Amino acid sequence: MEIQELIQTVLIYALPVLFAITIHEAAHGYAARHFGDNTAAMMGRITLNPIKHIDPIGTILMPLLLYFATSGAFLFGYAKPVPVRFDHLRHPKRDMIWVALAGPASNFVQAIFWALMLVLLVGLGLHERFFLEMCRAGIMVNLVMWAFNLFPLPPLDGGRILVGLLPWKQAQAVARVEPYGFFIVMALVIAGVVGSYWLRPLMSLGYSAIDLILYPFMALLR
């Protein structure tokens, strides 16, 4: 890949990615504080300052290495997790669901926002490629984060949601997987299981839902 093309790709994705990870992590912190846990607030993590949420390895080094190693075919990264003491929540098992759901929900809302921006730009006759590509990147990045984080295995948000929904005995069994969950998920990603049987179907559903939500706006701009 030529250096000019790489720089353009980085510039297109930089803003959507920064917003996606920052708002995702801040949403967990806001939800945790709302349900009784002030840990994230005391550590200064309830903020829209992206520097507070960037993990040097997970947010910068790993995505860059994977981008170059796979010529952009496979990307993965993560932000610095917001600390949550689930035992500090007023109703730990129930409130855990809402705290975990807050992150992916924020990404879905952001995907709708970027899609709305794309519709408005096209509807107003503004066809600057850079901004159109940034809007498309914003939709894709946020739908990937939404879908991936909902995968039902701890420590991902979907795993914590599952623990909150299951009866105590089954919930404890799933929770014990958490120390190994990251490695299991990575193995499933590399094997193509997560992409083929989770990400693609869920993202397809997400795109369809956004089309449905934005249909009235698209009709008005025609």
Side-chain angles (χ1 to χ4, degrees):
M1 177 177 288
E2 294 182 5
I3 188 68
Q4 187 177 359
E5 186 180 348
L6 174 63
I7 292 171
Q8 188 177 45
T9 301
V10 169
L11 290 174
I12 286 170
Y13 278 85
L15 199 60
V17 168
L18 279 177
F19 274 122
I21 64 172
T22 299
I23 296 174
H24 178 104
E25 295 301 334
H28 284 311
Y30 280 118
R33 185 174 65 181
H34 176 76
F35 288 105
D37 176 36
N38 288 318
T39 306
M42 290 188 295
M43 295 181 70
R45 295 296 306 279
I46 302 183
T47 175
L48 296 180
N49 178 1
I51 295 173
K52 294 284 188 179
H53 303 293
I54 289 174
D55 183 283
I57 295 175
T59 313
I60 300 170
L61 184 60
M62 183 182 287
L64 282 175
L65 288 175
L66 287 172
Y67 188 87
F68 285 115
T70 66
S71 298
F74 175 70
L75 281 178
F76 177 77
Y78 54 87
K80 193 188 300 179
V82 164
V84 177
R85 288 286 304 272
F86 293 107
D87 57 317
H88 287 186
L89 300 173
R90 284 187 288 274
H91 303 282
K93 197 167 181 297
R94 184 194 69 190
D95 295 344
M96 177 196 304
I97 298 171
W98 297 110
V99 173
L101 191 59
S106 75
N107 289 122
F108 194 80
V109 171
Q110 287 179 79
I112 295 171
F113 166 80
W114 286 109
L116 180 58
M117 291 299 295
L118 180 61
V119 169
L120 287 173
L121 287 174
V122 173
L124 295 172
L126 303 174
H127 297 290
E128 174 58 46
R129 179 180 172 272
F130 179 82
F131 295 111
L132 295 181
E133 289 300 319
M134 183 180 287
C135 290
R136 292 189 183 100
I139 300 167
M140 188 192 73
V141 164
N142 280 286
L143 283 183
V144 167
M145 285 191 66
W146 166 72
F148 183 77
N149 279 285
L150 284 177
F151 191 75
L153 192 70
L156 296 177
D157 297 324
R160 296 213 166 108
I161 293 168
L162 182 62
V163 169
L165 290 172
L166 288 172
W168 273 108
K169 186 176 180 181
Q170 290 82 357
Q172 288 176 330
V174 174
R176 290 192 197 102
V177 176
E178 182 157 347
Y180 321 100
F182 178 80
F183 302 103
I184 296 171
V185 171
M186 284 297 93
L188 293 173
V189 167
I190 293 168
V193 173
V194 172
S196 299
Y197 299 103
W198 184 262
L199 276 183
R200 285 175 193 160
L202 209 56
M203 285 183 68
S204 178
L205 182 64
Y207 276 113
S208 297
I210 290 173
D211 284 343
L212 189 62
I213 291 167
L214 294 187
Y215 180 79
F217 297 98
M218 295 168 68
L220 283 173
L221 290 170
R222 282 174 185 167

